[in-house]
Amino acid sequence: MKYQRLIQSGKCVAVLGLGITGKAAVRYCQKNGARVVVSDSRSSERLQSECGQFLSDTAVEYEAGVHSVEFLAQADLVIASPGIPYDHKVIQELNAQGIPVVGELAVTSSQIDIPIVAVTGTNGKTTVTSLIGEIFKKAGRNVFVGGNIGTPLFEYLCGEKSADVMVLELSSFQLQMVGEFAPDVAVLLNITPDHIDWHGGLEGYAQAKMNIFRNQTAHDTAIVCQDDTGSMAHVADIQGQMLTFGRAAKNTASICHCAISVQHAGSLLEFDLSGTAMGNHIGAGNAAAAILATLALHVDPEDIRRGIREFQPAAHRLQWVGSSAGVNYVDDSKATNTGAVIAALQQLEGKALLIAGGKDKGEDYRLLRESVELKAKEVIVIGEAAGKIAAALEGCTVIRPAESMDEAVALATGSAQRGDTVLLSPACASFDMFTSYGHRGEVFAAAVKKIIAEEKTMISGGLQ
C-alpha cells in the first residue's frame, strides 16, 4: 500500500503518541491537507502542560490518558510514534478492523528521491551516522542527517528538502514498522541485547534490526560487521551486495590496529586513523563502516580521510572529562545496554572503577561478568537496577552501592590509583534518577570537576 496517498485533503490521519516524531507527523499531515487527530497516553493535565501550545497552534482533536479504538477508528490511517509496541492491543484491534497502522519510514520513504544511507546497531550508530554525515560535508555534498538523532524525517519533508544525500540513524523501534523503506546503503554495526522487554526477547529485537535490509535489492549495498556474531547469524536473507568490515584480512574493510585496508573497485585503499578521534579499538570499527558506506556512494577517498581527521564524536560517548592524580574520568552515559559497557571496558588501557546502574530495561547483566573480571577493580552500583546488577556480578569483583552520583564518583575516586579510569557506563536507562542520559552525564561531569577542583586546592594549600 502507498501510504502517502491517504495523507491528503479529505482524509483523516491519527497520530499515536505526541513526542518529537509525533509532532512532526502532525505538521506533515496537516501540510498535505489531511485532518489530524492525536491520541496520547499522558494525562490530560500533563499533556496540556507539556504540549498545550502545540495543541492550540495545530487545533487538533485529541484524547489523553488512553489509546482507544473508538477514538482512533475515525482515521483512514494511524501513524504510530517510535516506542509504541507494534503488538500493542489497540494496534492489533485497528489492524483487525482494516485500519493500517504504520511508522514514519513507511509513510515517508516514497517521498524521498535522493540516496539514503541508513545506520542501525545496538551500539555506535550515532557516532557512525554523524561521521558519515561529516564525510559527505567534506566532499561538498548537501547532506541531511537525522532520524533517531536530530530531525525527524517528517520535519525534513515539511521544509525545503534541499539535501542531495540523506543519512539516517534508525532505532529498532523505527525499524519495527518499516513499510517499503529501502535505503541505498544499509549499515548494521552489531546486535547485542537491548530493549529486550519491549521486543519480547533477543530474537524479536534482532529481527527488527534486520528490517533495515528487508526491501533492498541486488542494486543496493548492505554493510555488516563480520566480527559481530549477533549480526552474522541473521545475514542469510540479505538481498543487497554485502560488504563486511572487521579484523580478519578477508573482509572488504580489514582493520589492523589504527589502520584500515579497503578492497574497492579493484584497488587497495589505506586509511590511517592515528591521531584521530577514531584511532582506538572501537573507533576503528566505526570508521570502517563509515568508509564503506561513503565509498559506496562514490565519495573520494581523500575526502573520507579529511572527514575522519576532523570528526569529533558527540558528548557522553566515551568522553574524557578530566584527570586528577593520574586517574582519568570518562563519561559513557550513552551506554544504556550491556554491549556498550563491554565495548567501553575493552577500549580502556588500564583498570576501571565502573559506575553502573539506573532504570532496568530487561538486560541480562551476567553478560558483563567476563569483562568486569578482566577490567574492573570495582563496580559502584546506583539506581533502581543496583541490586540486580550486584547479584549478577557477585564474585567478579568488589561491588559497592551508592545513593547518588556524587557518592558514586567519590567512592570510585577513593579506590582509584594512578593509571586507572573512573568510568560511567551504566548499562541502564537514566529515567529513575535523571531526565536523560545527557543529564546523567552532566551530573557525573559536575561531580568529577568538583573532585578535581578540591584536589587542586589541597595541592595549592600544601605548597603555601
Side-chain angles (χ1 to χ4, degrees):
M1 177 181 291
K2 299 291 187 181
Y3 299 116
Q4 77 278 5
R5 293 176 183 168
L6 293 179
I7 302 175
Q8 54 187 275
S9 180
K11 298 295 184 179
C12 179
V13 178
V15 174
L16 199 58
L18 199 59
I20 295 173
T21 300
K23 289 179 179 178
V26 170
R27 289 188 287 264
Y28 174 78
C29 293
Q30 289 188 330
K31 182 179 179 180
N32 284 276
R35 180 172 74 89
V36 183
V37 299
V38 170
S39 176
D40 194 277
S41 61
R42 284 171 285 186
S43 68
S44 181
E45 293 78 10
R46 183 181 168 193
L47 187 62
Q48 276 293 333
S49 173
E50 297 175 0
C51 304
Q53 188 61 55
F54 179 86
L55 292 169
S56 176
D57 291 344
T58 55
V60 294
E61 180 186 353
Y62 69 92
E63 66 172 356
V66 66
H67 298 310
S68 69
V69 175
E70 293 76 18
F71 178 81
L72 293 166
Q74 65 183 298
D76 300 293
L77 174 75
V78 177
I79 300 173
S81 297
I84 297 178
Y86 71 100
D87 58 354
H88 192 291
K89 181 180 178 181
V90 74
I91 292 179
Q92 293 179 333
E93 292 183 8
L94 289 167
N95 283 328
Q97 292 187 26
I99 301 172
V101 182
V102 299
E104 180 184 29
L105 293 174
V107 177
T108 59
S109 59
S110 64
Q111 304 299 297
I112 301 168
D113 57 2
I114 57 176
I116 300 173
V117 179
V119 181
T120 197
T122 308
N123 303 303
K125 56 185 177 291
T126 298
T127 297
V128 173
T129 301
S130 302
L131 176 56
I132 292 171
E134 181 69 17
I135 291 171
F136 278 127
K137 289 177 185 176
K138 297 305 177 189
R141 306 284 288 273
N142 188 354
V143 58
F144 167 76
V145 179
N148 194 49
I149 56 171
T151 307
L153 269 172
F154 282 127
E155 189 169 326
Y156 169 78
L157 292 175
C158 284
E160 297 179 357
K161 297 182 285 188
S162 58
D164 54 47
V165 64
M166 178 175 288
V167 187
L168 303 176
E169 176 188 317
L170 299 178
S171 69
S172 59
F173 304 141
Q174 290 166 302
L175 289 167
Q176 194 66 68
M177 300 185 200
V178 58
E180 298 169 347
F181 176 72
D184 300 85
V185 180
V187 181
L188 175 63
L189 299 171
N190 43 61
I191 297 176
T192 59
D194 196 16
H195 304 298
I196 301 306
D197 51 346
W198 196 89
H199 288 283
L202 178 58
E203 186 58 27
Y205 172 70
Q207 289 303 323
K209 289 293 190 186
M210 294 306 296
N211 278 343
I212 197 170
F213 304 115
R214 191 172 79 183
N215 298 311
Q216 284 193 310
T217 70
H219 300 290
D220 301 314
T221 301
I223 297 171
V224 183
C225 178
Q226 197 273 337
D227 294 342
D228 183 67
T229 56
S231 299
M232 295 304 293
H234 295 86
V235 300
D237 294 330
I238 287 178
Q239 299 299 310
Q241 178 190 7
M242 193 169 85
L243 310 179
T244 63
F245 64 95
R247 284 167 172 77
K250 64 182 179 180
N251 287 290
T252 317
S254 177
I255 303 165
C256 183
H257 302 297
C258 288
I260 300 173
S261 302
V262 181
Q263 298 287 343
H264 177 70
S267 299
L268 181 65
L269 302 176
E270 300 287 349
F271 297 86
D272 183 5
L273 307 181
S274 301
T276 74
M278 312 309 287
N280 53 65
H281 180 80
I282 296 174
N286 290 339
I291 289 167
L292 290 178
T294 48
L295 283 174
L297 291 180
H298 314 297
V299 177
D300 186 274
E302 192 49 47
D303 289 325
I304 296 175
R305 294 184 183 99
R306 189 154 58 99
I308 292 173
R309 283 197 303 270
E310 298 180 16
F311 177 71
Q312 291 298 322
H316 312 299
R317 295 168 180 84
L318 287 172
Q319 181 181 19
W320 183 81
V321 176
S323 62
S324 180
V327 176
N328 291 309
Y329 294 83
V330 173
D331 169 14
D332 194 34
S333 183
K334 183 65 169 61
T336 58
N337 57 74
T338 53
V341 178
I342 291 168
L345 288 170
Q346 287 175 342
Q347 185 165 319
L348 297 182
E349 293 185 0
K351 293 289 186 176
L353 289 303
L354 173 64
I355 300 173
K359 186 172 181 60
D360 182 53
K361 300 193 298 178
E363 293 277 324
D364 181 359
Y365 301 109
R366 292 173 297 179
L367 296 172
L368 295 172
R369 289 183 65 87
E370 182 178 352
S371 295
V372 165
E373 283 183 318
L374 182 65
K375 299 290 292 187
K377 282 185 174 180
E378 290 186 7
V379 177
I380 294 90
V381 291
I382 61 174
E384 291 179 5
K388 186 176 178 181
I389 295 173
L393 300 181
E394 185 177 2
C396 289
T397 188
V398 176
I399 311 290
R400 293 200 284 172
E403 294 298 320
S404 67
M405 185 64 76
D406 281 356
E407 183 185 359
V409 173
L411 287 173
T413 300
S415 298
Q417 297 177 323
R418 182 173 294 275
D420 291 343
T421 298
V422 174
L423 172 67
L424 170 64
S425 196
C428 293
S430 58
F431 304 121
D432 55 340
M433 298 170 66
F434 309 98
T435 59
S436 65
Y437 74 82
H439 178 219
R440 177 169 59 192
E442 290 165 2
V443 173
F444 171 76
V448 168
K449 290 173 182 176
K450 180 180 177 182
I451 285 176
I452 291 174
E454 291 173 350
E455 179 73 17
K456 289 180 178 178
T457 300
M458 290 176 60
I459 293 173
S460 176
L463 293 176
Q464 292 178 357

